[in-house]
Amino acid sequence: MATIEANYDGLVGLTHNYGGLSAGNLASARNTGQVSHPRQAALQGLAKMKFLADAGLVQGVLPPHERPFLPLLRNAGFTGSDAQVIESAATQAPALLKAASSSANMWAANAAIISPSADTSDGRMHASAANLVTMLHRSIEGPQTARALRAAFPDTNHFTIHEPLPAQDSFADEGAANHVRLCAEHGAPGVELFVHGREAGFTPELKFPARQTREANQALARRHGLNSNNVIFAAQSHTAIEAGAFHNDVVCVGAKTCLFFHENAFANTTATLEDIRRAANGRFEPQFVQVSAEDVPLRDAVTSYLFNSMLVEWPGEERLVLVAPAECRETPSVERYCEKLVSGNGPIGRIEFVDVRQSMRNGGGPACLRLRVVLTDAERAACNPDMLMNAALYTTLTRWVEKHYREELPPADLADPALLAEGHIALDKLCAILGLGSNFYPFQRG
Ligand code: SUG
C-alpha cells in the first residue's frame, strides 16, 4: 500500500489585494496599498499546482472563500441591501471593509493542522481547521475552511474534521504553518513538531504578535489522539518573530527525515533537536540541515522566503526537492547558499524555483499556499475526486479565472459593490466545477 503526501493549495480569490493587514508580516506592510493583480495571482497559483501535478504528485485545490464577507459587516451593525452595506462600510469603516475583503484564505498552510492516520489512536486522519484569531481579517476563515475540508475529505470512516478551537486568545492557532511532521516513510508513525510563539495568558513584549500558543498546540495533539511520545512542543525564538517570522514556516520546513531551518528559528535549538531525536527513537535518523546566520542572515531569509519552500519527495528521485520562491535567486546570500546546499550530498538534492510573486507580496510563499495531506491508497480513493488537479481541471480553472477575475484591483475598488456580485457568480460556477454542491457558501444559503 502506497502512502503519499498530497498538497492541497488554496485557490487565490477574486479580491486578492494588498491591505497591509498583518502586523509582523514585513511583505504585507511593505506593499500596503499597491494595486494588486488578482487574475495573475490566481494563474500563478494554478501554474504551481500544475507543475507539481505534472511531476506526478497528488495535488488538490481548496476553493476561495466568499469576499467581501458580508456577515462580518452585518454583524458589525451595517444594514440594508448588500450594496448599501458595502457602501456604508467603505465610508464609515474602511479598515473593516478591507478585513472583510481579504483573500488571505488562499494561504492553505494556515487552514488546518493535519495528523495522518498513521499517527492517530483511532487510525483516522484528523484535521483541525485553524481559528486564526490573531488577525481580524483571518479570524473569519475557520468555519468555511472546515466546510471545505469536509468537502475534500467527506468519508467519516477515514477522516475526522474538527471545528476550530475556541476563538479565544489562549487558543490562538494558525494551522500547519507552525507544524512539521518528520517520518521514515509517509505511512509510518511520525514525529509531530508543534511550534508556538507564546504561552496562554502571557504576552511577550515583542514588536510583533506571537500568533500561536502552546495551549492550542497541546489541545490539537490531544484532539487528534497522538501518542505523546511522538509529539514535541517547541518555542519559536523571539528573534525570529521580531525579524518577521510571524509563522515558524518562514524559517523552517521539514519533510521525511529532514528538518531544514535557520539557526535562529527556535528558542532553544539544542533542546528541540534533542527532543526530535528522542521522539524518533531509532525509527529513523533525523537529518538536520541548519543554516547559519553567517551564511544567510535572518533578514535575507525573511526577504527571500528561502524556508517557505516546499520540501518534497519527488517521484523517481532519491533526494528531496526544494520548491523555492523565485525571489531566492535575487538575494545574493541566499543564491550562494542554494548553490552550496545542492552541491553537497545532504538530503536536499535539487531546487526548483517557482513564481508566486503576487502572493509573496503579501508574505505568502510556495509553502504558505499549500496544505500537506498524507493519504493512504484507501484514503486517497475516498477523497472528493473533483478537487484533485489534472490536465482537464487545470484548463477549466484557468478559463474560469480568465473569465471572472479582474486584471487589476486598486484599493479603492474594494468599495465597488459589483465586486461582490462578480464573486457570487464566479463562486456559484466553481461549486459545480469542484463538486461542492449548491449550498457551500453562506451567500448560497441566504
Ligand atoms: O497571515 N498575509 C498572510 C500570509 C500568510 C502566510 N502563511 C504562512 N506563512 N504559512 C498572513 O500574514 C496579508 C494580507 C494583507 O495585508 O492584505 C496576509 O494576511
Side-chain angles (χ1 to χ4, degrees), residues 337-356:
Y337 177 79
C338 286
E339 281 167 17
K340 184 166 126 186
L341 177 70
V342 294
S343 65
N345 57 358
I348 301 173
R350 203 160 65 75
I351 305 182
E352 290 281 357
F353 295 96
V354 291
D355 177 0
V356 288

Side-chain angles (χ1 to χ4, degrees), residues 17 19-22 25 28 110 137-138 177 211 247 249 362-363 368:
N17 75 97
L21 301 174
S22 278
N25 173 338
S28 150
N110 304 117
H137 68 291
R138 305 216 61 181
R211 296 203 204 173
H247 293 136
D249 71 0
N362 251 339
C368 295

Side-chain angles (χ1 to χ4, degrees), residues 44 47-49 51-52 260 304-310 312 314 321-342 348-357 360 365-367:
Q44 286 173 350
K48 172 169 99 73
M49 293 187 230
F51 174 60
L52 292 164
F260 177 52
S304 66
Y305 259 40
L306 168 66
F307 297 93
N308 200 258
S309 298
M310 301 168 66
V312 179
W314 205 266
V321 173
L322 194 71
V323 180
E327 283 78 352
C328 288
R329 287 193 288 206
E330 290 149 21
T331 311
S333 67
V334 174
E335 192 182 25
R336 272 195 305 276
Y337 177 79
C338 286
E339 281 167 17
K340 184 166 126 186
L341 177 70
V342 294
I348 301 173
R350 203 160 65 75
I351 305 182
E352 290 281 357
F353 295 96
V354 291
D355 177 0
V356 288
R357 286 181 197 273
M360 282 284 285

Side-chain angles (χ1 to χ4, degrees), residues 240-253:
I241 296 173
E242 295 214 301
F246 53 96
H247 293 136
N248 176 61
D249 71 0
V250 175
V251 282
C252 171
V253 60

Side-chain angles (χ1 to χ4, degrees), residues 20-26 29 132-137 169 172 174 178 196-199 202-213 236-248 250:
L21 301 174
S22 278
N25 173 338
L26 304 188
L132 292 157
V133 288
T134 306
M135 300 289 163
L136 172 64
H137 68 291
D169 188 63
E174 300 268 325
N178 298 302
H196 58 271
R198 64 186 171 87
E199 296 186 7
F202 172 74
T203 308
E205 285 200 14
L206 294 174
K207 273 204 299 213
F208 299 135
R211 296 203 204 173
Q212 183 90 19
T213 66
Q236 268 184 292
S237 84
H238 288 174
T239 314
I241 296 173
E242 295 214 301
F246 53 96
H247 293 136
N248 176 61
V250 175

Side-chain angles (χ1 to χ4, degrees), residues 105-347:
N105 50 81
M106 67 204 250
W107 294 297
N110 304 117
I113 283 189
I114 295 195
S115 296
S117 52
D119 292 355
T120 64
S121 55
D122 64 3
R124 291 190 179 88
M125 181 186 104
H126 283 250
S128 284
N131 61 28
L132 292 157
V133 288
T134 306
M135 300 289 163
L136 172 64
H137 68 291
R138 305 216 61 181
S139 66
I140 52 180
E141 294 176 24
Q144 184 65 21
T145 296
R147 187 173 272 270
L149 294 173
R150 287 197 185 102
F153 311 111
D155 186 342
T156 51
N157 291 314
H158 289 292
F159 310 115
T160 300
I161 311 296
H162 301 266
E163 287 299 313
L165 289 169
Q168 204 277 336
D169 188 63
S170 295
F171 285 123
D173 173 23
E174 300 268 325
N178 298 302
H179 178 253
V180 179
R181 178 174 187 264
L182 301 180
C183 57
E185 295 300 332
H186 294 305
V191 169
E192 296 200 24
L193 169 64
F194 291 81
V195 184
H196 58 271
R198 64 186 171 87
E199 296 186 7
F202 172 74
T203 308
E205 285 200 14
L206 294 174
K207 273 204 299 213
F208 299 135
R211 296 203 204 173
Q212 183 90 19
T213 66
R214 183 182 175 93
E215 286 70 11
N217 285 339
Q218 289 168 328
L220 294 166
R222 272 193 300 270
R223 259 183 177 194
H224 291 189
L226 302 182
N227 176 339
S228 58
N229 295 325
N230 299 343
V231 173
I232 294 158
F233 300 106
Q236 268 184 292
S237 84
H238 288 174
T239 314
I241 296 173
E242 295 214 301
F246 53 96
H247 293 136
N248 176 61
D249 71 0
V250 175
V251 282
C252 171
V253 60
K256 302 283 297 287
T257 59
C258 172
L259 191 71
F260 177 52
F261 62 102
H262 193 274
E263 69 168 337
N264 297 128
F266 301 106
N268 187 338
T269 308
T270 313
T272 302
L273 303 189
E274 195 37 51
D275 284 349
I276 294 172
R277 266 195 214 93
R278 189 183 32 72
N281 193 23
R283 288 178 294 145
F284 60 91
E285 193 53 45
Q287 293 176 287
F288 297 124
V289 182
Q290 176 168 334
V291 182
S292 68
E294 197 184 329
D295 277 348
V296 177
L298 200 45
R299 195 184 19 171
D300 290 357
V302 173
T303 320
S304 66
Y305 259 40
L306 168 66
F307 297 93
N308 200 258
S309 298
M310 301 168 66
L311 192 52
V312 179
E313 183 177 38
W314 205 266
E317 293 192 29
E318 278 280 298
R319 296 200 287 165
L320 297 170
V321 173
L322 194 71
V323 180
E327 283 78 352
C328 288
R329 287 193 288 206
E330 290 149 21
T331 311
S333 67
V334 174
E335 192 182 25
R336 272 195 305 276
Y337 177 79
C338 286
E339 281 167 17
K340 184 166 126 186
L341 177 70
V342 294
S343 65
N345 57 358

